[in-house]
C-alpha cells in the first residue's frame, strides 16, 4: 500500500470533516495576506524601476523583501502566503514554455545536457574534496555538494532525507547556498557587463552555475529576457540530473563505489514534474495551438508570477539565519561556487 504524505492526509481529513465553503474560507485566511504582500512588493518594485533609470525591478523587489523581513520581521499570518513564492516561480517557468519552440529546446538540451552533467559531477566531487580539507562533517559536505552542484535548496532537502543528516547540518547547508545565491544576483550582472558577455553566453553561464532555480531566474532576467529564458532552459538540464546524482549519493553514503541504483524509476521519482509541464506547453505552442496574442498574454502573466517570486526570495533572506552558518561551511561553499562559476563560464564561451 502506498504511503500517503502526512500533509495530504491531514488536508483530506479536514475536507471530510469541514463544509467546503468553510474549508475554502480558512485557506483564504491563511494564504491571502502573504500572497497580497508578495503582489504589493513586486508591483511597488516595478513602479520604482520606471522612475529610477537603470535599476531593474528584479533586484529592487528582492532588496525590498529582504529589507522588510530583516528590519520589521514578518507577522505569522503572512508566513503561509509568502511561502507560496516557489509555486509562483514554477508556474512562471511553465508559462515561459510557450515562448520556446520545442525543436529549438530539444536541440539546445542535446548540446547542453552532457555539459550540465559534467559540471554537476565535477562540482559535486570537488566540493566533497574541499569539505574534507576543511574537516567538515561528511553529511554537511554532501549536502553542500548537492546544493552547489545541482539545484540548491531542493537538492539539499532531497539529499538530507537520504543520508540521515541532522536538522542543524541541513540548515547550515541551506544557509550556505542561500548566501552564494544572493551574491550571484548582485555579482553576475556586473561581471556579465564588464566581460561584455552576450545574452546567450550569460544565460548559459547563469543556468550552469547559479545554485537555486529562483536565483537563476532573477540573475538571468536582470540582463535581459533572452538571457533569462536561456538561463531557465539550462537550469532545467541540471535539475534533470537530480535523480541520477541522488542515486550516486546513496552509493557513496553506503560505502559502495558502483552507482547501481541509477534507474529510470529513480530518475523519474526525483525529477520535478514542472519541467514536464514546461516541455508540454512548448510542444503545444510549437504545434500552432497558441496564437501570438496567447503567447503574449502568457508571457505577461509569467512576468507577474516572477514578480511575486522575486519578492519571496527577498523575504527568505534573513541575515540572522545566515549568520549561524559559520566560516568553514561558507569558505568551502565559496571555493566550490567559484570553481563551478569559472569552469561554467569557460564552457559557456566555447559552446555558445
Amino acid at each position: 500500500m502506498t504511503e500517503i504524505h502526512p500533509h495530504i492526509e491531514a488536508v483530506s481529513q479536514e475536507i471530510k470533516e469541514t463544509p467546503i465553503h468553510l474549508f475554502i474560507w480558512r485557506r483564504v485566511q491563511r494564504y491571502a495576506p502573504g500572497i497580497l504582500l508578495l503582489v504589493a512588493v513586486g508591483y511597488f518594485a516595478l513602479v520604482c524601476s520606471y522612475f529610477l533609470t537603470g535599476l531593474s525591478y528584479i533586484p529592487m523587489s528582492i532588496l525590498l523583501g529582504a529589507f522588510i523581513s530583516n528590519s520589521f520581521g514578518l507577522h505569522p499570518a503572512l508566513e503561509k502566503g509568502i511561502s507560496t513564492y516557489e509555486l509562483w516561480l514554477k508556474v512562471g517557468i511553465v508559462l515561459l514554455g510557450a515562448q520556446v519552440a520545442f525543436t529549438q529546446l530539444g536541440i539546445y538540451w542535446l548540446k547542453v545536457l552532457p555539459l550540465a552533467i559534467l559540471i554537476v559531477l565535477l562540482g559535486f566531487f570537488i566540493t566533497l574534496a574541499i569539505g574534507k580539507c576543511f574537516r567538515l562533517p561528511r553529511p554537511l559536505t554532501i549536502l553542500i555538494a548537492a546544493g552547489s552542484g545541482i539545484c540548491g535548496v531542493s537538492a539539499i532537502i532531497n539529499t538530507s532525507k537520504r543520508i540521515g543528516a541532522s536538522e542543524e547540518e541541513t540548515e547550515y547547508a541551506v544557509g550556505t547556498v542561500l548566501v552564494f545565491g544572493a551574491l550571484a544576483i548582485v555579482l553576475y550582472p556586473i561581471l556579465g557587463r564588464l566581460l561584455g558577455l552576450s545574452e546567450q553566453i550569460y544565460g548559459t553561464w547563469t543556468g550552469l552555475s547559479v545554485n537555486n532555480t529562483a536565483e537563476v531566474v532573477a540573475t538571468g532576467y536582470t540582463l535581459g529576457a533572452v538571457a533569462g529564458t536561456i538561463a531557465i532552459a539550462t537550469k532545467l538540464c541540471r535539475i534533470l540530473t537530480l535523480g541520477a546524482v541522488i542515486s550516486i549519493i546513496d552509493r557513496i553514503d553506503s560505502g559502495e563505489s558502483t552507482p547501481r541504483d541509477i534507474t529510470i524509476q529513480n530518475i523519474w521519482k526525483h525529477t520535478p514534474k514542472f519541467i514536464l509541464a514546461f516541455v508540454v506547453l512548448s510542444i503545444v505552442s510549437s504545434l500552432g495551438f497558441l496564437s501570438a496574442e496567447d503567447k503574449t498574454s502568457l508571457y505577461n502573466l509569467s512576468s507577474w508570477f516572477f514578480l511575486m517570486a522575486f519578492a519571496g526570495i527577498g523575504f527568505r533572506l534573513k541575515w540572522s539565519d545566515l549568520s549561524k552558518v559559520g566560516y568553514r561551511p561558507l569558505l568551502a561553499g565559496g571555493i566550490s561556487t567559484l570553481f563551478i562559476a569559472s569552469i561554467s563560464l569557460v564552457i559557456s564561451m566555447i559552446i555558445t
Side-chain angles (χ1 to χ4, degrees):
M1 182 176 176
T2 304
E3 182 183 354
I4 301 175
H5 191 283
H7 178 67
I8 298 176
E9 190 174 17
V11 171
S12 301
Q13 188 64 28
E14 186 179 353
I15 292 174
K16 291 177 183 177
E17 297 175 354
T18 309
I20 188 64
H21 68 279
L22 186 57
F23 173 80
I24 293 173
W25 175 242
R26 286 177 180 174
R27 284 294 181 275
V28 170
Q29 285 181 311
R30 289 179 192 174
Y31 289 93
I35 292 174
L36 289 174
L37 181 60
L38 291 179
V39 174
V41 169
Y43 185 72
F44 181 74
L46 183 63
V47 171
C48 288
S49 69
Y50 284 118
F51 296 100
L52 300 174
T53 307
L55 183 61
S56 168
Y57 69 88
I58 296 171
M60 173 72 75
S61 183
I62 295 170
L63 288 173
L64 185 57
F67 173 76
I68 294 172
S69 177
N70 288 279
S71 300
F72 306 104
L74 294 174
H75 192 279
L78 299 170
E79 294 286 353
K80 282 284 187 182
I82 288 174
S83 69
T84 63
Y85 81 93
E86 288 190 0
L87 171 64
W88 310 124
L89 175 74
K90 290 175 182 178
V91 173
I93 290 174
V94 169
L95 294 180
L96 273 183
Q99 315 301 319
V100 182
F102 181 70
T103 51
Q104 294 177 343
L105 179 65
I107 293 170
Y108 182 76
W109 274 3
L110 285 174
K111 179 173 67 173
V112 173
L113 186 56
L115 299 172
I117 293 172
L118 173 65
I119 288 174
V120 166
L121 292 176
L122 277 176
F124 183 78
F125 288 108
I126 287 292
T127 307
L128 289 182
I130 293 170
K132 190 173 182 179
C133 291
F134 279 90
R135 298 180 181 178
L136 296 179
R138 185 168 179 76
L140 176 58
T141 302
I142 292 175
L143 292 181
I144 293 174
S148 300
I150 313 172
C151 53
V153 174
S154 299
I156 290 171
I157 292 172
N158 273 280
T159 304
S160 65
K161 297 173 183 176
R162 312 285 292 193
I163 65 174
S166 69
E167 185 176 340
E168 184 181 46
E169 288 168 335
T170 303
E171 289 176 355
Y172 278 12
V174 168
T176 299
V177 300
L178 287 180
V179 167
F180 295 108
L183 285 174
I185 296 172
V186 177
L187 296 179
Y188 268 56
I190 296 172
L191 291 172
R193 292 187 178 96
L194 286 176
L195 296 172
L197 301 181
S198 67
E199 288 196 43
Q200 289 79 6
I201 294 175
Y202 178 83
T204 304
W205 177 40
T206 299
L208 285 175
S209 57
V210 176
N211 297 332
N212 289 305
T213 305
E215 279 82 344
V216 168
V217 177
T219 305
Y221 272 92
T222 299
L223 209 68
V226 173
T229 304
I230 292 174
I232 289 172
T234 308
K235 179 63 175 179
L236 295 183
C237 285
R238 283 172 68 193
I239 296 175
L240 285 171
T241 68
L242 181 60
V245 174
I246 285 180
S247 295
I248 293 173
I249 291 171
D250 282 344
R251 289 298 158 191
I252 291 173
D253 193 53
S254 64
E256 299 182 39
S257 58
T258 307
R260 291 175 295 169
D261 276 356
I262 302 181
T263 62
I264 297 297
Q265 184 179 5
N266 258 345
I267 292 173
W268 171 258
K269 179 181 178 182
H270 295 289
T271 298
K273 304 307 181 284
F274 78 93
I275 297 177
L276 303 179
F278 177 92
V279 172
V280 168
L281 193 56
S282 174
I283 294 172
V284 169
S285 177
S286 300
L287 291 175
F289 290 106
L290 297 176
S291 65
E293 291 77 12
D294 293 333
K295 293 180 183 179
T296 300
S297 297
L298 289 175
Y299 179 79
N300 291 336
L301 188 58
S302 72
S303 298
W304 275 103
F305 285 134
F306 285 147
L307 267 178
M308 296 167 67
F310 297 147
I313 296 171
F315 284 120
R316 184 182 61 178
L317 298 176
K318 297 180 180 178
W319 312 133
S320 59
D321 293 341
L322 301 181
S323 63
K324 299 175 185 177
V325 175
Y327 76 92
R328 287 197 302 160
L330 283 177
L331 279 176
I335 295 171
S336 171
T337 300
L338 184 60
F339 170 81
I340 294 171
S342 300
I343 193 171
S344 298
L345 179 58
V346 171
I347 288 175
S348 300
M349 289 178 168
I350 292 173
I351 68 170
T352 306

